Amino acid sequence: MPQPSSVLERRHREITASFESFVQRELVPLAAEVPEPVDGPPRELRDYVRRRSATLGFYGAEYPESMGGAGMPVTALVQLHHAAGASGCPLAPYALAGPDGPSWLLTHGTARQIEEYLVPMVRGEKLRCLAMTEPGSGSDSFAMSTKARWDGDGWVLNGRKTFVSNAGHADYAIVVADVTDGPTGHGGATAFVMPLDHPGLRRGQQYAGMAGEPLFELVLDEARLPMAAVVGESEGIGSAVEYAMDSLAYGRLLVAAQCNGIAEFALREAVGFARERRAFGQVIGGYQHVQEHLVTGRAGVETAKLLTLACAELVDEGLESGENAALAKLVATEVAVDVVDRALQVHGATGYVRGHPLEYLYRHIRMMTIIEGTSEVQKVIIARSMGLG
Ligand SMILES: Cc1cc2nc3c(=O)[nH]c(=O)nc-3n(C[C@H](O)[C@H](O)[C@H](O)COP(=O)(O)OP(=O)(O)OC[C@H]3O[C@@H](n4cnc5c(N)ncnc54)[C@H](O)[C@@H]3O)c2cc1C
């Protein structure tokens, strides 16, 4: 029996099936060879997966053809991210451009920046990290204290960024700093791109998260940069706020799609377990309390999928201004946290032990209601769109 969301998935079924086949054929056997390391798969393996996926046309496919991508619409992209999560394969997310991949901030860059930084990332050859959050500004990330001053000869950056993903292995950093006295007259939050081994930029404290790779502090101490380091269509002019706003709906939908996929995987595992596991003389799936977990989970996943897929259509049509993506991100992440929790509960101790996929997902999924804007921040956006606050 087809699910309602499959109606919205028909158009891009072929490319999604092709990605699913790549994951099953190549990534699942590879993942089986590596025991789950504490901080994600080894770098060489991730590099291989990314480059192989780029060769096959999946990684970075959403970027314009002129930048090395395939101009894939968001409606197709969310289906690939969903498929990666739903596969349960720990390597599948690395086959798609995520938070260490090419950046929409850079699509606003000069022709030279696109050639030098963005194109190698779309090809899967280079990685970057994005340094926005600071010890004193998280949700209000543009209330930053990192400053960029022009000293007549170049930019000088000073400040401290924190909780930066991928800084352990990225080639470049996109650092957002506050320009107070730029030579071109522009000011405010501005994105700079620089190699991670640039003098004056160093990794500070490392934080182990609940799951996956560590997060890093990045310290800028009199880091000197040329005028051309400002990400902007014209050299030296760029507004990080404007660029970030342009890509917000996009990033939030990808998180929503990943969450829907993970929740679908967790639910599938739980339903399979509930059909087999016996207690008190019958399969546990026959008990209403267990059914409640599974049916509530299914209702949540299907709702979140419909919202995500419909919102992706609006983005492709240029009709999305942010509030629907906030709604999709809010619902999908909260549902996924709930569904993974319920799926683990249905498994009892079997799902709790290290090595079981649900034990890992229970830790991994928790970050989703925090990254790309917390659930509370999504609610603020939605409330504003309703004329409140
Ligand atoms: C796994 C992970 C990866 C990350 N990767 C990166 C990265 O690569 N680069 C980067 O720059 N940052 C990164 N971050 C940081 C992330 O962007 C911030 O954690 C996030 O923006 C929230 O900021 P905060 O943690 O300082 O919480 P705060 O902003 O201090 O919020 C604390 C609490 O207050 C609530 N709150 C805040 N403002 C409001 C409001 N107006 N109304 C209601 N409630 C509110 C929040 O929802 C939250 O519950 C990462 C974080 C995690 C967990």
Side-chain angles (χ1 to χ4, degrees):
M1 176 95 165
Q3 304 206 350
S5 55
S6 64
V7 175
L8 294 176
E9 290 173 324
R10 281 179 193 152
R11 194 150 35 100
H12 301 297
R13 194 60 220 137
E14 208 174 311
I15 180 84
T16 311
S18 166
F19 178 72
E20 285 166 345
S21 153
F22 161 58
V23 171
Q24 292 306 322
R25 198 181 59 243
E26 300 194 28
L27 302 189
V28 169
L30 263 182
E33 286 172 22
V34 211
E36 187 211 315
V38 181
D39 51 2
R43 175 167 187 169
E44 317 77 63
L45 187 56
R46 277 185 312 196
D47 288 353
Y48 168 78
V49 168
R50 201 176 57 247
R51 287 179 192 150
R52 173 80 181 131
S53 177
T55 311
L56 295 176
F58 300 121
Y59 186 92
E62 63 272 31
Y63 285 81
E65 284 179 36
S66 59
M67 297 174 190
M72 179 184 276
V74 181
T75 35
L77 190 65
V78 292
Q79 285 183 231
L80 297 196
H81 279 269
H82 181 101
S87 72
C89 173
L91 289 179
Y94 296 96
L96 300 171
D100 57 355
S103 165
W104 291 100
L105 275 175
L106 281 168
T107 51
H108 291 81
T110 59
R112 200 177 134 257
Q113 287 167 342
I114 288 170
E115 194 54 40
E116 187 175 345
Y117 298 110
L118 189 68
V119 170
M121 287 193 229
V122 174
R123 286 200 204 109
E125 292 161 3
K126 299 281 185 193
L127 295 175
R128 55 91 194 172
C129 58
L130 173 65
M132 282 204 29
T133 306
E134 297 186 359
S137 61
S139 299
D140 52 349
S141 54
F142 292 119
M144 63 194 72
S145 349
T146 298
K147 302 283 178 211
R149 69 170 201 277
W150 180 259
D151 75 350
D153 202 22
W155 298 101
V156 184
L157 271 64
N158 282 290
R160 202 170 274 267
K161 297 287 178 178
T162 195
F163 303 138
V164 181
S165 313
N166 310 309
H169 54 262
D171 302 283
Y172 306 114
I174 299 176
V175 175
V176 182
D178 188 27
V179 168
T180 44
D181 51 358
T184 50
H186 95 285
T190 302
F192 294 82
V193 60
M194 64 182 89
L196 215 79
D197 56 4
H198 191 78
L201 173 66
R202 67 174 169 84
R203 293 181 188 89
Q205 185 159 353
Q206 182 174 330
Y207 303 92
M210 286 170 71
E213 292 160 33
L215 304 173
F216 284 85
E217 185 185 42
L218 288 182
V219 182
L220 294 136
D221 183 10
E222 293 287 292
R224 296 194 63 86
L225 290 168
M227 172 68 94
V230 172
V231 180
E233 283 147 14
S234 317
E235 197 168 279
I237 301 178
S239 160
V241 182
E242 196 186 302
Y243 302 165
M245 290 302 159
D246 281 358
S247 57
L248 269 185
Y250 201 89
R252 287 178 178 161
L253 277 185
L254 296 194
V255 173
Q258 283 165 26
C259 284
N260 298 339
I262 291 170
E264 196 170 279
F265 170 80
L267 190 61
R268 202 168 61 228
E269 292 286 302
V271 170
F273 189 85
R275 282 183 175 155
E276 300 286 331
R277 176 74 178 171
R278 299 182 71 82
F280 300 98
Q282 69 166 80
V283 288
I284 60 168
Y287 293 119
Q288 285 187 7
H289 287 305
V290 173
Q291 290 169 0
E292 198 275 330
H293 284 306
L294 302 174
V295 174
T296 303
R298 177 169 171 190
V301 175
E302 198 52 22
T303 306
K305 269 183 86 174
L306 283 166
L307 206 46
T308 307
L309 289 163
C311 186
E313 295 274 352
L314 290 176
V315 173
D316 280 342
E317 289 171 21
L319 297 174
E320 172 56 25
S321 60
E323 63 227 46
N324 291 308
L327 203 55
K329 202 257 174 189
L330 172 68
V331 173
T333 55
E334 295 286 341
V335 161
V337 169
D338 181 55
V339 169
V340 170
D341 185 31
R342 288 175 184 273
L344 196 151
Q345 184 68 16
V346 167
H347 278 75
T350 304
Y352 172 80
V353 296
R354 284 278 160 125
H356 194 279
L358 285 172
E359 183 279 327
Y360 170 76
L361 287 180
Y362 185 78
R363 289 180 286 116
H364 171 70
I365 204 73
R366 193 60 191 82
M367 68 172 165
M368 301 296 188
T369 61
I370 300 172
I371 60 168
E372 292 284 334
T374 63
S375 285
E376 292 77 11
V377 165
Q378 310 308 325
K379 287 177 187 169
V380 170
I381 296 166
I382 297 160
R384 274 193 201 137
S385 77
M386 295 163 72
L388 306 166

